[in-house]
Amino acid sequence: MKMPSKSPAFLPVQTVVPAALTALTARVTITALVTLTALAASVPAAHAADKLKVGMLSTLSGAGAGLGVDIRDGFALAVQQNGGKLGGLTVETVIADDQQNPEVAKQSAERLLKRDKVDVMTGIVFSNVMLAVGPGVFAAQVPYISANAGPSQYAGEQCNPYFFNVAWQNDNLHEAIGKTVMDKGFKKVVVLAPNYPAGKDAVAGFRRYYKGAVADEIYTKLGQLDYSAELAQARAAKPDAMYIFLPGGMGINFIKQFVGAGLSKDITLFGPGFSADEDVIKAVGEPMLGMFNSSHWAHDLDNAANKRFVADFVKAYGRLPSLYASQGYDAALLIAAAVRDVKGKIEDKPALLKALKAAKFESVRGAFRFNHNQYPVQDYYLRVITKDPQGRVTNRTLGKIFEQHADAYAPQCKMK
Amino acid sequence: MDLILVAEQALNGLQFGLMLFLLAAGLTLVFGIMDLINLAHGSLYMIGAYLAAAAIAAGASFLVAVLAAVAGTALFGMLLEVTLLRRLYQRDHLSQVLATFALILMLNEGVRMIWGEQPLLLNTPAALSGPVELLPGLMYPAYRLLIIGVGLAVAVGLYLLVTRTRWGMWVRAGASNRAMTTAMGVPADRLFTAVFGIGAALCALAGSLLGPLLAVQVGMGESILILAFVVIVIGGIGSIRGALVGALLVGLVDTGSRTLLPAVLRQVASPEVASTLGPSIAAILIYVLMAAVLFWKPRGLFPARG
């Protein structure tokens, strides 16, 4: 099911004019594509497998840009550490911005597949964008390595041999925090999520493990930045805890306004790891102290791959990596492992898919393997925001919530 | 229904409405007096926000940043009027829409080239980042109270300017009969430039005040501009009073319906249906309001032209 990302209320001039322009661009693009395809057909296919072309389609502008930038930078770091290669092949990364807009993303993906002829694709942050782009990528038989978006649709009935999720299924972090809220004995919770596929997945995941009372379930527009009405509503419900799923700038603004409205005194705030990660902490700072969150990764996880990743990331970009950066990095490592295992023969699709599924790489989160639906089976941790010994506000890992946890949709996936 | 919730939402609606008023006031004057449809009005709001963010990044205090943004954007607006928009007064509305739409694209690209793709995040001034207890049990963010205060002060100031000064008399005359006003010897050129400057200054005030609540990003003026147009259509084109009433109506209806509708729907439908349907209907409600006003008063609530 594809959900519109904006309210379908009315078509103001503002929408109609760009829509007309988009239609015009689309027509020009199609003409250009037809010409290019004709040209390409006239030349014998000269695709040498000494190079790996990666299509990095991600959200690089607008309120969700911080997320895509971190995925891109994490991925680039892995390529850079390996001297510009992945699995022995020189990497060429073609970067495109989806502007968090499914329509723009579809056109960009088309261009990456048809004109640039990428060998693998990755980078999409938002599930509604992923659901729009997915069918085209699968039809072109190009492996898609998701470094974030993990819609329930592709985990269950619509699972696809070309879709690999190296992050987590949309419900997972929320299931973990739901269990935490339950275990900590909170009785009355307000849930806040954006009205789009991943928002519904999040609330479903939370409620799968939190069995107490939900005082209010509030849905906002995706990309909303002013939460005055929602905060008043939450205050009126008088909960003892509040659970938010608000990616990127949405979460940053919410937490600032939550503190500004004086709600942090009476309500304990819970969220998924990315609503309490380095990008958010950097923008909000001290008011976030004490916020509990769940993650499959943390920068203080004790394993060699992670230590190297965090140290190199800080050196390269001058900031601590977020969970998105770790996912982009792992996506590159997974591709590298698969390319290495097929000895660079990436045109052998069945072998490449098999190698991807085997996932023989050292993930920065520790143990990692794919379930039969090609979503991860992994551990989930509880983190809390505290001051570290150097006085920086950052996350500290408290312990495991789930061990080797799989998603709830896998049984519906017919893939072997 | 909880009284505190109602009071808090009323304040939220007031705050949102007053910010819309700052945008709509300039838009309605430009549209009313010069008969110019300026789609790029929202871009001035964006430029104001970016100038404030740049001033804060350069180490200015919040107050200085807002003043700098207002002054800078007013200058930019007047420059735009003198060099470009002035040529559009005699053209039809379609040319104006096309030209100012092109302006939106160029200004967006320009801002992107100077400040980059990423949104800039501002913080509320430390002194105003906490809540204030207005009544026992009624806590309200101090920063939003400041916005309400500034909005009301500007509304009163603008009202006095338009109703009590010679300049205001010209503006009102220009709005109700442009040809006659020019014929009576009003210095139209200077008047138009000044009106444009004031409109730009109000945009910048809204942009820099909302910056810390929202995010300063490319294209931020476009979504709010739609609402500003709805406001001036409801209020009547060219009327400051209409803009104020329209803005408050839209602000209260938007905030109120976003809270009340899901709660009401939950009485008759399942929570899932209510939480999906509620926000959708709430988003339509403003346009329903506009349609209703136009049905009974086709020229808006307070038409400037008799």
Side-chain angles (χ1 to χ4, degrees):
Chain A
M1 187 175 64
K2 195 182 136 199
M3 304 287 294
S5 62
K6 287 191 178 146
S7 66
F10 191 74
L11 280 181
V13 192
Q14 190 49 46
T15 316
V16 175
V17 178
L21 286 178
T22 315
L24 192 66
T25 337
R27 201 180 304 163
V28 176
T29 317
I30 290 167
T31 324
L33 275 177
V34 170
T35 325
L36 282 174
T37 326
L39 274 176
S42 62
V43 191
H47 185 263
D50 54 352
K51 204 170 78 177
L52 177 74
K53 255 192 172 183
V54 179
M56 165 74 65
L57 177 62
S58 199
T59 303
L60 301 171
S61 60
L67 289 52
V69 167
D70 265 15
I71 290 179
R72 181 193 68 191
D73 290 354
F75 191 93
L77 178 68
V79 176
Q80 185 203 323
Q81 281 177 343
N82 290 294
K85 291 186 174 188
L86 285 181
L89 291 186
T90 306
V91 176
E92 183 190 340
T93 313
V94 189
I95 298 174
D97 177 13
D98 64 30
Q99 299 168 30
Q100 205 182 324
N101 176 333
E103 284 308 311
V104 172
K106 258 158 77 174
Q107 289 180 20
S108 302
E110 186 97 334
R111 208 169 52 235
L112 290 173
L113 294 167
K114 299 257 168 67
R115 190 188 71 188
D116 299 317
K117 298 199 187 308
V118 295
D119 302 304
V120 287
M121 270 187 72
T122 183
I124 293 177
V125 180
F126 292 90
S127 289
N128 55 333
V129 176
M130 187 68 241
L131 289 171
V133 167
V137 179
F138 305 154
Q141 303 196 324
V142 169
Y144 187 89
I145 319 294
S146 178
N148 191 60
S152 55
Q153 287 85 343
Y154 292 166
E157 279 174 7
Q158 296 174 42
C159 63
N160 193 293
Y162 288 93
F163 185 83
F164 297 84
N165 184 308
V166 75
W168 38 283
Q169 197 276 320
N170 280 349
D171 300 18
N172 291 155
L173 295 187
H174 315 286
E175 290 172 343
I177 211 72
K179 183 168 188 304
T180 307
V181 173
M182 193 71 199
D183 290 350
K184 284 189 180 292
F186 288 96
K187 298 274 182 313
K188 202 175 168 197
V189 177
V190 168
V191 179
L192 176 65
N195 201 352
Y196 88 119
K200 310 264 169 176
D201 284 356
V203 174
F206 182 83
R207 299 192 85 154
R208 197 169 291 133
Y209 285 85
Y210 172 73
K211 302 293 181 197
V214 173
D216 208 344
E217 203 172 289
I218 310 172
Y219 288 93
T220 68
K221 261 200 300 201
L222 184 62
Q224 180 172 318
L225 295 170
D226 188 351
Y227 293 96
S228 57
E230 288 75 12
L231 286 168
Q233 213 176 325
R235 193 201 304 274
K238 297 193 174 61
D240 48 16
M242 189 161 178
Y243 167 71
I244 56 160
F245 162 62
L246 297 168
M250 298 175 73
I252 294 174
N253 276 22
F254 177 82
I255 296 169
K256 280 201 270 189
Q257 293 170 22
F258 179 80
V259 175
L263 288 173
S264 53
K265 282 197 271 302
D266 308 317
I267 304 176
T268 311
L269 193 60
F270 289 86
F274 52 79
S275 287
D277 218 316
E278 295 308 323
D279 48 337
V280 185
I281 294 174
K282 201 172 80 189
V284 182
E286 301 233 340
M288 293 190 74
L289 287 174
M291 178 173 172
F292 290 100
N293 61 92
S294 57
S295 181
H296 58 292
W297 172 85
H299 66 73
D300 60 353
L301 279 189
D302 193 12
N303 67 62
N306 195 37
K307 283 188 174 141
R308 175 167 181 233
F309 162 65
V310 174
D312 284 2
F313 193 93
V314 172
K315 205 188 295 165
Y317 303 106
R319 62 178 198 269
L320 276 171
S322 68
L323 142 168
Y324 296 102
S326 82
Q327 292 164 185
Y329 185 80
D330 269 357
L333 295 190
L334 170 66
I335 295 171
V339 172
R340 181 196 62 215
D341 289 351
V342 299
K343 304 195 170 53
K345 293 200 186 95
I346 47 176
E347 57 284 349
D348 185 353
K349 286 276 165 62
L352 183 64
L353 293 179
K354 209 170 141 217
L356 282 168
K357 192 158 189 167
K360 286 194 208 119
F361 72 104
E362 218 167 302
S363 164
V364 293
R365 73 198 86 173
F368 175 94
R369 69 186 164 86
F370 281 123
N371 205 344
H372 71 279
N373 63 349
Q374 300 176 176
Y375 274 64
V377 179
Q378 59 190 348
D379 296 344
Y380 291 88
Y381 301 90
L382 180 63
R383 310 187 300 184
V384 69
I385 298 180
T386 50
K387 276 200 178 155
D388 70 0
Q390 291 107 301
R392 289 179 302 186
V393 179
T394 188
N395 269 298
R396 196 177 75 225
T397 306
L398 295 175
K400 274 183 198 170
I401 305 171
F402 289 133
E403 277 198 41
Q404 293 298 298
H405 184 68
D407 65 86
Y409 303 92
Q412 291 154 36
C413 170
K414 300 281 185 293
M415 250 180 346
K416 289 259 165 52
Chain B
M1 184 59 54
D2 195 334
L3 263 181
I4 286 182
L5 176 64
V6 173
E8 199 175 341
Q9 295 293 18
L11 284 172
N12 287 333
L14 187 64
Q15 180 244 308
F16 183 42
L18 285 169
M19 286 298 105
L20 275 180
F21 167 69
L22 293 186
L23 284 172
L27 196 63
T28 202
L29 285 182
V30 169
F31 199 175
I33 300 173
M34 307 171 204
D35 201 23
L36 171 76
I37 300 187
N38 180 18
L39 288 186
H41 193 71
S43 300
L44 296 169
Y45 162 81
M46 171 178 75
I47 288 169
Y50 267 98
L51 287 180
I56 284 174
S61 72
F62 186 73
L63 180 67
V64 173
V66 172
L67 292 177
V70 168
T73 313
L75 270 177
F76 181 78
M78 287 192 279
L79 196 70
L80 212 59
E81 197 271 344
V82 171
T83 54
L84 200 78
L85 297 173
R86 182 168 284 189
R87 289 159 215 285
L88 296 171
Y89 296 151
Q90 302 308 323
R91 309 290 291 266
D92 57 357
H93 283 166
L94 184 63
S95 316
Q96 296 173 353
V97 165
L98 279 175
T100 51
F101 184 70
L103 206 54
I104 292 183
L105 299 179
M106 285 190 278
L107 291 175
N108 278 350
E109 270 327 299
V111 166
R112 202 171 273 149
M113 279 157 70
I114 299 173
W115 283 286
E117 293 274 357
Q118 314 282 315
L120 307 178
L121 294 166
L122 292 181
N123 281 321
T124 47
L128 296 169
S129 62
V132 173
E133 190 159 21
L134 293 177
L135 293 169
L138 178 57
M139 307 276 273
Y140 199 72
Y143 186 73
R144 287 184 199 270
L145 282 179
L146 170 85
I147 291 187
I148 292 177
V150 172
L152 285 176
V154 170
V156 170
L158 207 56
Y159 181 76
L160 292 179
L161 186 70
V162 170
T163 55
R164 294 281 188 273
T165 64
R166 170 177 293 269
W167 185 85
M169 187 179 72
W170 289 345
V171 166
R172 277 179 291 139
S176 42
N177 192 331
R178 192 163 55 135
M180 183 60 84
T181 316
T182 327
M184 297 294 281
V186 168
D189 282 6
R190 266 188 291 152
L191 179 71
F192 288 5
T193 311
V195 166
F196 215 87
I198 287 180
L202 293 175
C203 280
L205 189 61
S208 51
L209 285 179
L210 284 180
L213 286 182
L214 308 174
V216 180
Q217 57 184 321
V218 174
M220 63 189 282
E222 282 141 48
S223 47
I224 201 162
L225 184 75
I226 300 165
L227 286 179
F229 267 110
V230 171
V231 164
I232 69 169
V233 168
I234 290 178
I237 290 160
S239 157
I240 290 285
R241 191 160 46 137
L244 181 61
V245 173
L248 292 179
L249 267 178
V250 168
L252 289 170
V253 166
D254 181 75
T255 312
S257 61
R258 270 201 288 151
T259 329
L260 293 181
L261 269 177
V264 170
L265 282 170
R266 209 163 304 177
Q267 311 297 320
V268 292
S270 71
E272 283 76 32
V273 174
S275 57
T276 310
L277 209 57
S280 316
I281 299 181
I284 305 173
L285 222 59
I286 289 168
Y287 302 100
V288 174
L289 171 74
M290 179 174 78
V293 168
L294 288 183
F295 182 78
W296 280 288
K297 301 202 102 181
R299 292 167 155 272
L301 294 175
F302 302 97
R305 285 181 203 162

